[in-house]
Amino acid sequence: MLTERQLLILQVIIDEFIETAHPVGSRAISKKGTIPYSAATIRNEMADLEEMGFLEKTHSSSGRIPSELGYRYYVDHLIAPNPLHKDVKIIKSIIEEGFYEFEQIVQMSAEILSELTNYTSIILGPELMETKLKQLQIVTLSPQTAVAILITDTGHVEHRSFKVPTVINPSDMEKMVNILNDRLTGVPIVRLNEIFHHEVAQLMKMYIRDYDRSYEYLQEIFVYDHPVKLYISGKSNILMQPEFNDVGKIRTFFTMMENENEVVNLLRNSQHGIKVTIGNENEVEAIKDLSLITASYQLNNDQMGTIALIGPTRMEYRKVISLLDGLSMEMTNALYKWYQLDE
Amino acid sequence: MLTERQLLILQVIIDEFIETAHPVGSRAISKKGTIPYSAATIRNEMADLEEMGFLEKTHSSSGRIPSELGYRYYVDHLIAPNPLHKDVKIIKSIIEEGFYEFEQIVQMSAEILSELTNYTSIILGPELMETKLKQLQIVTLSPQTAVAILITDTGHVEHRSFKVPTVINPSDMEKMVNILNDRLTGVPIVRLNEIFHHEVAQLMKMYIRDYDRSYEYLQEIFVYDHPVKLYISGKSNILMQPEFNDVGKIRTFFTMMENENEVVNLLRNSQHGIKVTIGNENEVEAIKDLSLITASYQLNNDQMGTIALIGPTRMEYRKVISLLDGLSMEMTNALYKWYQLDE
DNA sequence: TGTTAGCACTCGAGTGACTTGAGTGCTAAT
DNA sequence: ATTAGCACTCAAGTCACTCGAGTGCTAACA
């Protein structure tokens, strides 16, 4: 176990390193006055801390920097139970100020978050698994084309253009929309395609002339291919961090960030509450020397989405954790209000 | 005026430098065999070309690199009248393969473009100035909220949520939608707000109870705040270019690219046809050492949007110009088809 | 008169020796 | 248990040196 003094020294070193990004030497700590011991004493303790794996040296005669284990310990034990970060209030007031759609709130939150931290923020939109079709509309643009509009009970709107089968005339179309609305309203949008195939097909055959020939045009309306939406902000923000002084590193990071799937996977396995993943704890190669912090926001205990920050392992964990904690609460609230509308 | 031989040498140097990014020496040119003169002769010509401003040295005893003036001359006189790039066919077939919405086509084009060139591609969506409202729909989500959906004659769909004024009941709402559709269909969407204020207001007062109190909630439906849409692809692509080996440069570039307004301004003053802007010819500070190539795509001679590529001044102008030329034609075609639908 | 060979010169880039200073580890004294 | 002292280490900077690609110029050549 660590002694009181070792804890203190570890904390001071990490705090200092997080602030300056320079290795911390024993003399500097001693001079600072937080710890009333001489440099030599501190040196001994540092040697012990290094042996235990909490600290590292960049070379044999350099000052110490925290190891990943050190950060881990710091995050798990040395951060005071998060007092809400003052900036959360700012976010809260911004969210409540206007009548924003959920997407706007998310977008703004991502921007604020990256601005406040100088890291890259990522927000995974709410999982739409549970949202249901509220209404389907089809607007004809020309004899050959039309746009189908799906409105969900959460106010989410999707649209796709499609070719109108030549065999369908306007009155058929009207009948069709009626049937579809009748049968599909209330169906979870992820199941639309399935229900359309199995339950609606027969009905269509009865009422719509030549339905078989129309079928292939219509089916794509219900293919739901936007499982989640990503909001990323401050990608270039992170370039201000001194650890991004290497072009190769920047390349791998940005290449990873352009791959939406990879980013989604990064966040997907996040759990309830806040989760900190430091350096090599990350599974994804490209961020094995970065830290990822995720927080979930939710509705009625169903997990809905994830907020995350990516930054160097030398991250301001204290600030970031309390910010994310607060923001996820605010977003949960905002989302809750949205759903309330529906009752 | 430049002699035949000087032209040839200039061309060889620029071609070589574009390929390798290393200063080109006289001996290397001579050895290559394209020009049947000795290194010394070529040296003399190079000195002349430098005096005229087409070439530069990185230091007093280095090989030559093209100056911006050199690139200018190269682009204006040394590039053969663009034969259509073979890859344009690929793009064409992709576009025609499925029934894509215009936005999808644009998105794909941007991606293909950046992939084929390793530069950053930017496409400015079609100016929607001329598009007209086809239909307005309002879907009530709850007693207090609704979502308004605007469908344009081009199949573009916009939506915004708004608070339903408490004094409006469902039948009022229905009446309102009817009035709005009656009066606003066919109105250019940029003028919706204006017409709504001036011509529809009176009508509303007559038919809708307590219209004055509803007014403030409704007006925001018609505020049109998406003048143009940007599609960017391959931002990290450009990091592969050797000129981006400097973190400071990367920073300025990415910071610029995150500012949507600045990017839009970059492309806005583009003209009919292809325009090449080299290095300092650019007005925007952040790309004064990069080149920008823009091409416009259009509908019925009204300019609609812009396709652009940003890369180092050492750009593969020949390839890029023929690619953009071809792609802008394809997009013009695609857009034309879209509008055809409407007649 | 245009072309070429030859040669001195320049400068970036790489290399090795040296210095400096921050920081360590260890030992002996307090 | 703590601290002062001292020898040691290493990154980073500086300087002198070398190497080689490339130039500019001059004189010889066709």
mmCIF file with all atom_site columns, all heavy atoms in Angstrom, chain D residues 14-22:
data_model
loop_
_atom_site.group_PDB
_atom_site.id
_atom_site.type_symbol
_atom_site.label_atom_id
_atom_site.label_alt_id
_atom_site.label_comp_id
_atom_site.label_asym_id
_atom_site.label_entity_id
_atom_site.label_seq_id
_atom_site.pdbx_PDB_ins_code
_atom_site.Cartn_x
_atom_site.Cartn_y
_atom_site.Cartn_z
_atom_site.occupancy
_atom_site.B_iso_or_equiv
_atom_site.pdbx_formal_charge
_atom_site.auth_seq_id
_atom_site.auth_comp_id
_atom_site.auth_asym_id
_atom_site.auth_atom_id
_atom_site.pdbx_PDB_model_num
ATOM 1   P P     . DT D 1 14 ? 22.147 26.285 -29.714 1.00 0.00 ? 14 DT D P     1
ATOM 2   O OP1   . DT D 1 14 ? 21.917 27.712 -29.431 1.00 0.00 ? 14 DT D OP1   1
ATOM 3   O OP2   . DT D 1 14 ? 21.529 25.636 -30.898 1.00 0.00 ? 14 DT D OP2   1
ATOM 4   O "O5'" . DT D 1 14 ? 23.706 26.012 -29.777 1.00 0.00 ? 14 DT D "O5'" 1
ATOM 5   C "C5'" . DT D 1 14 ? 24.490 26.138 -28.601 1.00 0.00 ? 14 DT D "C5'" 1
ATOM 6   C "C4'" . DT D 1 14 ? 25.944 25.874 -28.945 1.00 0.00 ? 14 DT D "C4'" 1
ATOM 7   O "O4'" . DT D 1 14 ? 26.182 24.446 -28.989 1.00 0.00 ? 14 DT D "O4'" 1
ATOM 8   C "C3'" . DT D 1 14 ? 26.356 26.427 -30.315 1.00 0.00 ? 14 DT D "C3'" 1
ATOM 9   O "O3'" . DT D 1 14 ? 27.600 27.107 -30.174 1.00 0.00 ? 14 DT D "O3'" 1
ATOM 10  C "C2'" . DT D 1 14 ? 26.485 25.186 -31.180 1.00 0.00 ? 14 DT D "C2'" 1
ATOM 11  C "C1'" . DT D 1 14 ? 26.906 24.136 -30.153 1.00 0.00 ? 14 DT D "C1'" 1
ATOM 12  N N1    . DT D 1 14 ? 26.589 22.725 -30.513 1.00 0.00 ? 14 DT D N1    1
ATOM 13  C C2    . DT D 1 14 ? 27.572 21.761 -30.356 1.00 0.00 ? 14 DT D C2    1
ATOM 14  O O2    . DT D 1 14 ? 28.682 22.004 -29.949 1.00 0.00 ? 14 DT D O2    1
ATOM 15  N N3    . DT D 1 14 ? 27.186 20.491 -30.703 1.00 0.00 ? 14 DT D N3    1
ATOM 16  C C4    . DT D 1 14 ? 25.947 20.090 -31.173 1.00 0.00 ? 14 DT D C4    1
ATOM 17  O O4    . DT D 1 14 ? 25.744 18.919 -31.450 1.00 0.00 ? 14 DT D O4    1
ATOM 18  C C5    . DT D 1 14 ? 24.958 21.147 -31.315 1.00 0.00 ? 14 DT D C5    1
ATOM 19  C C7    . DT D 1 14 ? 23.598 20.820 -31.818 1.00 0.00 ? 14 DT D C7    1
ATOM 20  C C6    . DT D 1 14 ? 25.320 22.401 -30.985 1.00 0.00 ? 14 DT D C6    1
ATOM 21  P P     . DC D 1 15 ? 28.124 28.022 -31.371 1.00 0.00 ? 15 DC D P     1
ATOM 22  O OP1   . DC D 1 15 ? 28.575 29.286 -30.768 1.00 0.00 ? 15 DC D OP1   1
ATOM 23  O OP2   . DC D 1 15 ? 27.120 28.013 -32.464 1.00 0.00 ? 15 DC D OP2   1
ATOM 24  O "O5'" . DC D 1 15 ? 29.400 27.222 -31.874 1.00 0.00 ? 15 DC D "O5'" 1
ATOM 25  C "C5'" . DC D 1 15 ? 30.304 26.655 -30.920 1.00 0.00 ? 15 DC D "C5'" 1
ATOM 26  C "C4'" . DC D 1 15 ? 31.216 25.667 -31.629 1.00 0.00 ? 15 DC D "C4'" 1
ATOM 27  O "O4'" . DC D 1 15 ? 30.547 24.387 -31.757 1.00 0.00 ? 15 DC D "O4'" 1
ATOM 28  C "C3'" . DC D 1 15 ? 31.603 26.104 -33.050 1.00 0.00 ? 15 DC D "C3'" 1
ATOM 29  O "O3'" . DC D 1 15 ? 33.016 26.092 -33.173 1.00 0.00 ? 15 DC D "O3'" 1
ATOM 30  C "C2'" . DC D 1 15 ? 30.933 25.064 -33.951 1.00 0.00 ? 15 DC D "C2'" 1
ATOM 31  C "C1'" . DC D 1 15 ? 30.830 23.850 -33.029 1.00 0.00 ? 15 DC D "C1'" 1
ATOM 32  N N1    . DC D 1 15 ? 29.733 22.912 -33.368 1.00 0.00 ? 15 DC D N1    1
ATOM 33  C C2    . DC D 1 15 ? 29.993 21.532 -33.369 1.00 0.00 ? 15 DC D C2    1
ATOM 34  O O2    . DC D 1 15 ? 31.126 21.134 -33.084 1.00 0.00 ? 15 DC D O2    1
ATOM 35  N N3    . DC D 1 15 ? 28.997 20.666 -33.688 1.00 0.00 ? 15 DC D N3    1
ATOM 36  C C4    . DC D 1 15 ? 27.781 21.147 -33.989 1.00 0.00 ? 15 DC D C4    1
ATOM 37  N N4    . DC D 1 15 ? 26.825 20.261 -34.285 1.00 0.00 ? 15 DC D N4    1
ATOM 38  C C5    . DC D 1 15 ? 27.498 22.547 -33.985 1.00 0.00 ? 15 DC D C5    1
ATOM 39  C C6    . DC D 1 15 ? 28.486 23.387 -33.675 1.00 0.00 ? 15 DC D C6    1
ATOM 40  P P     . DA D 1 16 ? 33.680 26.710 -34.474 1.00 0.00 ? 16 DA D P     1
ATOM 41  O OP1   . DA D 1 16 ? 34.756 27.634 -34.022 1.00 0.00 ? 16 DA D OP1   1
ATOM 42  O OP2   . DA D 1 16 ? 32.644 27.173 -35.416 1.00 0.00 ? 16 DA D OP2   1
ATOM 43  O "O5'" . DA D 1 16 ? 34.363 25.400 -35.066 1.00 0.00 ? 16 DA D "O5'" 1
ATOM 44  C "C5'" . DA D 1 16 ? 35.051 24.494 -34.196 1.00 0.00 ? 16 DA D "C5'" 1
ATOM 45  C "C4'" . DA D 1 16 ? 35.371 23.229 -34.969 1.00 0.00 ? 16 DA D "C4'" 1
ATOM 46  O "O4'" . DA D 1 16 ? 34.158 22.429 -35.104 1.00 0.00 ? 16 DA D "O4'" 1
ATOM 47  C "C3'" . DA D 1 16 ? 35.855 23.483 -36.400 1.00 0.00 ? 16 DA D "C3'" 1
ATOM 48  O "O3'" . DA D 1 16 ? 36.937 22.597 -36.673 1.00 0.00 ? 16 DA D "O3'" 1
ATOM 49  C "C2'" . DA D 1 16 ? 34.643 23.183 -37.269 1.00 0.00 ? 16 DA D "C2'" 1
ATOM 50  C "C1'" . DA D 1 16 ? 33.943 22.101 -36.455 1.00 0.00 ? 16 DA D "C1'" 1
ATOM 51  N N9    . DA D 1 16 ? 32.484 22.029 -36.658 1.00 0.00 ? 16 DA D N9    1
ATOM 52  C C8    . DA D 1 16 ? 31.602 23.074 -36.737 1.00 0.00 ? 16 DA D C8    1
ATOM 53  N N7    . DA D 1 16 ? 30.352 22.703 -36.906 1.00 0.00 ? 16 DA D N7    1
ATOM 54  C C5    . DA D 1 16 ? 30.419 21.313 -36.924 1.00 0.00 ? 16 DA D C5    1
ATOM 55  C C6    . DA D 1 16 ? 29.439 20.321 -37.067 1.00 0.00 ? 16 DA D C6    1
ATOM 56  N N6    . DA D 1 16 ? 28.137 20.588 -37.215 1.00 0.00 ? 16 DA D N6    1
ATOM 57  N N1    . DA D 1 16 ? 29.847 19.033 -37.046 1.00 0.00 ? 16 DA D N1    1
ATOM 58  C C2    . DA D 1 16 ? 31.149 18.767 -36.897 1.00 0.00 ? 16 DA D C2    1
ATOM 59  N N3    . DA D 1 16 ? 32.180 19.621 -36.751 1.00 0.00 ? 16 DA D N3    1
ATOM 60  C C4    . DA D 1 16 ? 31.730 20.890 -36.770 1.00 0.00 ? 16 DA D C4    1
ATOM 61  P P     . DC D 1 17 ? 37.742 22.669 -38.036 1.00 0.00 ? 17 DC D P     1
ATOM 62  O OP1   . DC D 1 17 ? 39.154 22.397 -37.721 1.00 0.00 ? 17 DC D OP1   1
ATOM 63  O OP2   . DC D 1 17 ? 37.345 23.905 -38.745 1.00 0.00 ? 17 DC D OP2   1
ATOM 64  O "O5'" . DC D 1 17 ? 37.156 21.430 -38.824 1.00 0.00 ? 17 DC D "O5'" 1
ATOM 65  C "C5'" . DC D 1 17 ? 37.150 20.143 -38.214 1.00 0.00 ? 17 DC D "C5'" 1
ATOM 66  C "C4'" . DC D 1 17 ? 36.360 19.199 -39.071 1.00 0.00 ? 17 DC D "C4'" 1
ATOM 67  O "O4'" . DC D 1 17 ? 34.955 19.459 -38.884 1.00 0.00 ? 17 DC D "O4'" 1
ATOM 68  C "C3'" . DC D 1 17 ? 36.620 19.364 -40.569 1.00 0.00 ? 17 DC D "C3'" 1
ATOM 69  O "O3'" . DC D 1 17 ? 37.325 18.240 -41.073 1.00 0.00 ? 17 DC D "O3'" 1
ATOM 70  C "C2'" . DC D 1 17 ? 35.235 19.492 -41.192 1.00 0.00 ? 17 DC D "C2'" 1
ATOM 71  C "C1'" . DC D 1 17 ? 34.298 19.088 -40.070 1.00 0.00 ? 17 DC D "C1'" 1
ATOM 72  N N1    . DC D 1 17 ? 33.006 19.804 -40.129 1.00 0.00 ? 17 DC D N1    1
ATOM 73  C C2    . DC D 1 17 ? 31.837 19.062 -40.300 1.00 0.00 ? 17 DC D C2    1
ATOM 74  O O2    . DC D 1 17 ? 31.914 17.816 -40.377 1.00 0.00 ? 17 DC D O2    1
ATOM 75  N N3    . DC D 1 17 ? 30.642 19.701 -40.372 1.00 0.00 ? 17 DC D N3    1
ATOM 76  C C4    . DC D 1 17 ? 30.595 21.033 -40.282 1.00 0.00 ? 17 DC D C4    1
ATOM 77  N N4    . DC D 1 17 ? 29.411 21.611 -40.352 1.00 0.00 ? 17 DC D N4    1
ATOM 78  C C5    . DC D 1 17 ? 31.784 21.822 -40.107 1.00 0.00 ? 17 DC D C5    1
ATOM 79  C C6    . DC D 1 17 ? 32.946 21.171 -40.037 1.00 0.00 ? 17 DC D C6    1
ATOM 80  P P     . DT D 1 18 ? 37.640 18.159 -42.639 1.00 0.00 ? 18 DT D P     1
ATOM 81  O OP1   . DT D 1 18 ? 38.899 17.414 -42.803 1.00 0.00 ? 18 DT D OP1   1
ATOM 82  O OP2   . DT D 1 18 ? 37.470 19.492 -43.241 1.00 0.00 ? 18 DT D OP2   1
ATOM 83  O "O5'" . DT D 1 18 ? 36.456 17.233 -43.137 1.00 0.00 ? 18 DT D "O5'" 1
ATOM 84  C "C5'" . DT D 1 18 ? 36.104 16.077 -42.384 1.00 0.00 ? 18 DT D "C5'" 1
ATOM 85  C "C4'" . DT D 1 18 ? 35.009 15.335 -43.122 1.00 0.00 ? 18 DT D "C4'" 1
ATOM 86  O "O4'" . DT D 1 18 ? 33.740 16.039 -42.961 1.00 0.00 ? 18 DT D "O4'" 1
ATOM 87  C "C3'" . DT D 1 18 ? 35.249 15.228 -44.634 1.00 0.00 ? 18 DT D "C3'" 1
ATOM 88  O "O3'" . DT D 1 18 ? 34.941 13.908 -45.035 1.00 0.00 ? 18 DT D "O3'" 1
ATOM 89  C "C2'" . DT D 1 18 ? 34.303 16.269 -45.227 1.00 0.00 ? 18 DT D "C2'" 1
ATOM 90  C "C1'" . DT D 1 18 ? 33.158 16.280 -44.225 1.00 0.00 ? 18 DT D "C1'" 1
ATOM 91  N N1    . DT D 1 18 ? 32.428 17.578 -44.097 1.00 0.00 ? 18 DT D N1    1
ATOM 92  C C2    . DT D 1 18 ? 31.064 17.561 -44.138 1.00 0.00 ? 18 DT D C2    1
ATOM 93  O O2    . DT D 1 18 ? 30.398 16.559 -44.285 1.00 0.00 ? 18 DT D O2    1
ATOM 94  N N3    . DT D 1 18 ? 30.471 18.800 -44.000 1.00 0.00 ? 18 DT D N3    1
ATOM 95  C C4    . DT D 1 18 ? 31.119 20.004 -43.811 1.00 0.00 ? 18 DT D C4    1
ATOM 96  O O4    . DT D 1 18 ? 30.483 21.054 -43.687 1.00 0.00 ? 18 DT D O4    1
ATOM 97  C C5    . DT D 1 18 ? 32.551 19.946 -43.780 1.00 0.00 ? 18 DT D C5    1
ATOM 98  C C7    . DT D 1 18 ? 33.349 21.207 -43.589 1.00 0.00 ? 18 DT D C7    1
ATOM 99  C C6    . DT D 1 18 ? 33.138 18.754 -43.919 1.00 0.00 ? 18 DT D C6    1
ATOM 100 P P     . DC D 1 19 ? 35.269 13.445 -46.516 1.00 0.00 ? 19 DC D P     1
ATOM 101 O OP1   . DC D 1 19 ? 35.721 12.044 -46.413 1.00 0.00 ? 19 DC D OP1   1
ATOM 102 O OP2   . DC D 1 19 ? 36.090 14.468 -47.195 1.00 0.00 ? 19 DC D OP2   1
ATOM 103 O "O5'" . DC D 1 19 ? 33.815 13.439 -47.166 1.00 0.00 ? 19 DC D "O5'" 1
ATOM 104 C "C5'" . DC D 1 19 ? 32.729 12.929 -46.402 1.00 0.00 ? 19 DC D "C5'" 1
ATOM 105 C "C4'" . DC D 1 19 ? 31.460 13.036 -47.208 1.00 0.00 ? 19 DC D "C4'" 1
ATOM 106 O "O4'" . DC D 1 19 ? 30.839 14.323 -46.952 1.00 0.00 ? 19 DC D "O4'" 1
ATOM 107 C "C3'" . DC D 1 19 ? 31.666 12.947 -48.717 1.00 0.00 ? 19 DC D "C3'" 1
ATOM 108 O "O3'" . DC D 1 19 ? 30.704 12.058 -49.228 1.00 0.00 ? 19 DC D "O3'" 1
ATOM 109 C "C2'" . DC D 1 19 ? 31.486 14.385 -49.202 1.00 0.00 ? 19 DC D "C2'" 1
ATOM 110 C "C1'" . DC D 1 19 ? 30.521 14.954 -48.165 1.00 0.00 ? 19 DC D "C1'" 1
ATOM 111 N N1    . DC D 1 19 ? 30.659 16.417 -47.912 1.00 0.00 ? 19 DC D N1    1
ATOM 112 C C2    . DC D 1 19 ? 29.498 17.193 -47.730 1.00 0.00 ? 19 DC D C2    1
ATOM 113 O O2    . DC D 1 19 ? 28.382 16.642 -47.803 1.00 0.00 ? 19 DC D O2    1
ATOM 114 N N3    . DC D 1 19 ? 29.629 18.516 -47.468 1.00 0.00 ? 19 DC D N3    1
ATOM 115 C C4    . DC D 1 19 ? 30.839 19.064 -47.389 1.00 0.00 ? 19 DC D C4    1
ATOM 116 N N4    . DC D 1 19 ? 30.921 20.377 -47.124 1.00 0.00 ? 19 DC D N4    1
ATOM 117 C C5    . DC D 1 19 ? 32.036 18.308 -47.571 1.00 0.00 ? 19 DC D C5    1
ATOM 118 C C6    . DC D 1 19 ? 31.895 16.990 -47.823 1.00 0.00 ? 19 DC D C6    1
ATOM 119 P P     . DG D 1 20 ? 30.784 11.592 -50.756 1.00 0.00 ? 20 DG D P     1
ATOM 120 O OP1   . DG D 1 20 ? 30.402 10.156 -50.777 1.00 0.00 ? 20 DG D OP1   1
ATOM 121 O OP2   . DG D 1 20 ? 32.060 12.051 -51.336 1.00 0.00 ? 20 DG D OP2   1
ATOM 122 O "O5'" . DG D 1 20 ? 29.606 12.418 -51.415 1.00 0.00 ? 20 DG D "O5'" 1
ATOM 123 C "C5'" . DG D 1 20 ? 28.323 12.404 -50.818 1.00 0.00 ? 20 DG D "C5'" 1
ATOM 124 C "C4'" . DG D 1 20 ? 27.448 13.399 -51.525 1.00 0.00 ? 20 DG D "C4'" 1
ATOM 125 O "O4'" . DG D 1 20 ? 27.786 14.732 -51.083 1.00 0.00 ? 20 DG D "O4'" 1
ATOM 126 C "C3'" . DG D 1 20 ? 27.653 13.411 -53.051 1.00 0.00 ? 20 DG D "C3'" 1
ATOM 127 O "O3'" . DG D 1 20 ? 26.403 13.674 -53.647 1.00 0.00 ? 20 DG D "O3'" 1
ATOM 128 C "C2'" . DG D 1 20 ? 28.587 14.586 -53.260 1.00 0.00 ? 20 DG D "C2'" 1
ATOM 129 C "C1'" . DG D 1 20 ? 28.055 15.547 -52.213 1.00 0.00 ? 20 DG D "C1'" 1
ATOM 130 N N9    . DG D 1 20 ? 28.972 16.583 -51.802 1.00 0.00 ? 20 DG D N9    1
ATOM 131 C C8    . DG D 1 20 ? 30.355 16.527 -51.792 1.00 0.00 ? 20 DG D C8    1
ATOM 132 N N7    . DG D 1 20 ? 30.903 17.635 -51.366 1.00 0.00 ? 20 DG D N7    1
ATOM 133 C C5    . DG D 1 20 ? 29.818 18.472 -51.078 1.00 0.00 ? 20 DG D C5    1
ATOM 134 C C6    . DG D 1 20 ? 29.782 19.795 -50.576 1.00 0.00 ? 20 DG D C6    1
ATOM 135 O O6    . DG D 1 20 ? 30.727 20.513 -50.280 1.00 0.00 ? 20 DG D O6    1
ATOM 136 N N1    . DG D 1 20 ? 28.472 20.258 -50.427 1.00 0.00 ? 20 DG D N1    1
ATOM 137 C C2    . DG D 1 20 ? 27.348 19.526 -50.720 1.00 0.00 ? 20 DG D C2    1
ATOM 138 N N2    . DG D 1 20 ? 26.188 20.132 -50.525 1.00 0.00 ? 20 DG D N2    1
ATOM 139 N N3    . DG D 1 20 ? 27.369 18.282 -51.193 1.00 0.00 ? 20 DG D N3    1
ATOM 140 C C4    . DG D 1 20 ? 28.630 17.828 -51.342 1.00 0.00 ? 20 DG D C4    1
ATOM 141 P P     . DA D 1 21 ? 26.031 12.987 -54.996 1.00 0.00 ? 21 DA D P     1
ATOM 142 O OP1   . DA D 1 21 ? 25.633 11.583 -54.747 1.00 0.00 ? 21 DA D OP1   1
ATOM 143 O OP2   . DA D 1 21 ? 27.104 13.293 -55.964 1.00 0.00 ? 21 DA D OP2   1
ATOM 144 O "O5'" . DA D 1 21 ? 24.732 13.809 -55.382 1.00 0.00 ? 21 DA D "O5'" 1
ATOM 145 C "C5'" . DA D 1 21 ? 23.844 14.244 -54.350 1.00 0.00 ? 21 DA D "C5'" 1
ATOM 146 C "C4'" . DA D 1 21 ? 23.447 15.669 -54.621 1.00 0.00 ? 21 DA D "C4'" 1
ATOM 147 O "O4'" . DA D 1 21 ? 24.489 16.551 -54.164 1.00 0.00 ? 21 DA D "O4'" 1
ATOM 148 C "C3'" . DA D 1 21 ? 23.243 15.974 -56.105 1.00 0.00 ? 21 DA D "C3'" 1
ATOM 149 O "O3'" . DA D 1 21 ? 22.037 16.686 -56.259 1.00 0.00 ? 21 DA D "O3'" 1
ATOM 150 C "C2'" . DA D 1 21 ? 24.453 16.830 -56.470 1.00 0.00 ? 21 DA D "C2'" 1
ATOM 151 C "C1'" . DA D 1 21 ? 24.736 17.532 -55.148 1.00 0.00 ? 21 DA D "C1'" 1
ATOM 152 N N9    . DA D 1 21 ? 26.119 17.977 -54.991 1.00 0.00 ? 21 DA D N9    1
ATOM 153 C C8    . DA D 1 21 ? 27.242 17.269 -55.265 1.00 0.00 ? 21 DA D C8    1
ATOM 154 N N7    . DA D 1 21 ? 28.346 17.936 -55.016 1.00 0.00 ? 21 DA D N7    1
ATOM 155 C C5    . DA D 1 21 ? 27.918 19.153 -54.546 1.00 0.00 ? 21 DA D C5    1
ATOM 156 C C6    . DA D 1 21 ? 28.593 20.308 -54.099 1.00 0.00 ? 21 DA D C6    1
ATOM 157 N N6    . DA D 1 21 ? 29.929 20.406 -54.057 1.00 0.00 ? 21 DA D N6    1
ATOM 158 N N1    . DA D 1 21 ? 27.861 21.356 -53.686 1.00 0.00 ? 21 DA D N1    1
ATOM 159 C C2    . DA D 1 21 ? 26.525 21.260 -53.732 1.00 0.00 ? 21 DA D C2    1
ATOM 160 N N3    . DA D 1 21 ? 25.774 20.222 -54.121 1.00 0.00 ? 21 DA D N3    1
ATOM 161 C C4    . DA D 1 21 ? 26.536 19.197 -54.515 1.00 0.00 ? 21 DA D C4    1
ATOM 162 P P     . DG D 1 22 ? 21.463 16.963 -57.706 1.00 0.00 ? 22 DG D P     1
ATOM 163 O OP1   . DG D 1 22 ? 19.999 16.969 -57.613 1.00 0.00 ? 22 DG D OP1   1
ATOM 164 O OP2   . DG D 1 22 ? 22.161 16.090 -58.677 1.00 0.00 ? 22 DG D OP2   1
ATOM 165 O "O5'" . DG D 1 22 ? 21.959 18.441 -57.969 1.00 0.00 ? 22 DG D "O5'" 1
ATOM 166 C "C5'" . DG D 1 22 ? 21.441 19.484 -57.146 1.00 0.00 ? 22 DG D "C5'" 1
ATOM 167 C "C4'" . DG D 1 22 ? 22.253 20.717 -57.357 1.00 0.00 ? 22 DG D "C4'" 1
ATOM 168 O "O4'" . DG D 1 22 ? 23.597 20.496 -56.865 1.00 0.00 ? 22 DG D "O4'" 1
ATOM 169 C "C3'" . DG D 1 22 ? 22.440 21.084 -58.835 1.00 0.00 ? 22 DG D "C3'" 1
ATOM 170 O "O3'" . DG D 1 22 ? 21.703 22.260 -59.156 1.00 0.00 ? 22 DG D "O3'" 1
ATOM 171 C "C2'" . DG D 1 22 ? 23.907 21.324 -58.993 1.00 0.00 ? 22 DG D "C2'" 1
ATOM 172 C "C1'" . DG D 1 22 ? 24.415 21.394 -57.548 1.00 0.00 ? 22 DG D "C1'" 1
ATOM 173 N N9    . DG D 1 22 ? 25.799 20.964 -57.548 1.00 0.00 ? 22 DG D N9    1
ATOM 174 C C8    . DG D 1 22 ? 26.324 19.755 -57.931 1.00 0.00 ? 22 DG D C8    1
ATOM 175 N N7    . DG D 1 22 ? 27.619 19.709 -57.862 1.00 0.00 ? 22 DG D N7    1
ATOM 176 C C5    . DG D 1 22 ? 27.983 20.972 -57.409 1.00 0.00 ? 22 DG D C5    1
ATOM 177 C C6    . DG D 1 22 ? 29.262 21.519 -57.145 1.00 0.00 ? 22 DG D C6    1
ATOM 178 O O6    . DG D 1 22 ? 30.359 20.977 -57.271 1.00 0.00 ? 22 DG D O6    1
ATOM 179 N N1    . DG D 1 22 ? 29.168 22.828 -56.699 1.00 0.00 ? 22 DG D N1    1
ATOM 180 C C2    . DG D 1 22 ? 27.997 23.526 -56.533 1.00 0.00 ? 22 DG D C2    1
ATOM 181 N N2    . DG D 1 22 ? 28.115 24.766 -56.107 1.00 0.00 ? 22 DG D N2    1
ATOM 182 N N3    . DG D 1 22 ? 26.795 23.023 -56.774 1.00 0.00 ? 22 DG D N3    1
ATOM 183 C C4    . DG D 1 22 ? 26.870 21.746 -57.208 1.00 0.00 ? 22 DG D C4    1
#
